[in-house]
Amino acid sequence: EESRAWNTIGDFKHMELALTSAAQRAHARQAQLVLARARNQQCWVLRFLARQTEAVDACLEAQRIYEAEGDRGGTADTLRILGDAVSGSDAERAISLYRQSLAVQRSIGHLAGEAIVLNELAIQYSVRGDHGAAMQLFQQAHDIFLQIGNSVSASGLLINIGYELQLQGRLAESLKMYRKAVTAG
């Protein structure tokens, strides 16, 4: 909870300190799922602190614990965060991790998680220049967010789709999508 409070004000250093403390306490008490959650969140914050090796280590530990405990949702979330952590240095590995996460999200029926991963995959395809694939993935994520009633995230996906259209030189369609995002949000 302390980590979440620090996150609210964007203080990643204090967030990381709170998570380190939580992980140490969980380890001492052998509270494996609490430890996994703390390490999962450490992975996320260490990425923003530009400490990639530590971030990857934290994610791998969280993934190992989640898998041993049979927590497929935790595993899927950690695979996504691990993909985020390596996306800047190893796009192929990130895509593989996102695909693994997506498979688990789908198998457990976690639609919000599925949409989040589809968005991350789309970003990777966009960066690679495969704007058609990126648009399809953004559209799938958009549709899921609409299905679950998350209009804010759905509007954000319209912006992403508009950007992909812009990159393809389809400016009139892009402008229409941006306008749709403004009115939908």
Side-chain angles (χ1 to χ4, degrees):
E1 291 307 313
E2 180 184 346
S3 169
R4 287 182 204 206
W6 287 116
N7 186 30
T8 302
I9 60 173
D11 188 333
F12 294 137
K13 183 61 184 162
H14 280 100
M15 185 180 178
E16 194 268 329
L17 291 171
L19 289 166
T20 297
S21 176
Q24 290 169 345
R25 287 190 314 249
H27 180 74
R29 292 183 178 122
Q30 297 182 352
Q32 291 300 297
L33 289 174
V34 175
L35 176 59
R37 182 70 180 149
R39 296 296 281 158
N40 168 294
Q41 290 302 291
Q42 278 183 310
C43 179
W44 183 86
V45 76
L46 288 167
R47 172 180 173 239
F48 288 103
L49 293 172
R51 293 163 48 194
Q52 183 182 13
T53 301
E54 292 173 76
V56 169
D57 290 345
C59 261
L60 291 174
E61 182 178 4
Q63 179 186 0
R64 181 188 55 75
I65 295 168
Y66 280 134
E67 287 176 354
E69 296 293 324
D71 185 334
R72 297 177 69 211
T75 298
D77 187 52
T78 301
L79 287 166
R80 178 189 54 82
I81 293 171
L82 181 56
D84 295 345
V86 302
S87 64
S89 62
D90 190 346
E92 291 302 318
R93 182 175 179 202
I95 289 170
S96 174
L97 290 163
Y98 291 143
R99 290 187 184 282
Q100 291 173 55
S101 176
L102 183 61
V104 177
Q105 299 286 11
R106 285 179 171 160
S107 74
I108 63 175
H110 187 228
L111 292 175
E114 181 179 340
I116 291 166
V117 175
L118 286 167
N119 182 63
E120 296 302 329
L121 267 171
I123 291 168
Q124 289 301 309
Y125 281 102
S126 179
V127 168
R128 297 171 82 177
D130 190 345
H131 302 295
M135 269 190 40
Q136 288 178 339
L137 293 166
F138 282 137
Q139 186 65 54
Q140 288 175 32
H142 171 263
D143 294 347
I144 291 170
F145 280 130
L146 283 180
Q147 178 185 346
I148 63 175
N150 186 335
S151 60
V152 173
S153 293
S155 293
L157 269 295
L158 293 175
I159 293 168
N160 292 352
I161 293 167
Y163 182 68
E164 291 303 318
L165 290 165
Q166 180 182 341
L167 291 173
Q168 294 176 36
R170 298 162 60 185
L171 301 182
E173 292 172 86
S174 175
L175 182 59
K176 182 179 176 183
M177 195 61 63
Y178 287 138
R179 286 184 175 146
K180 185 176 177 182
V182 170
T183 59

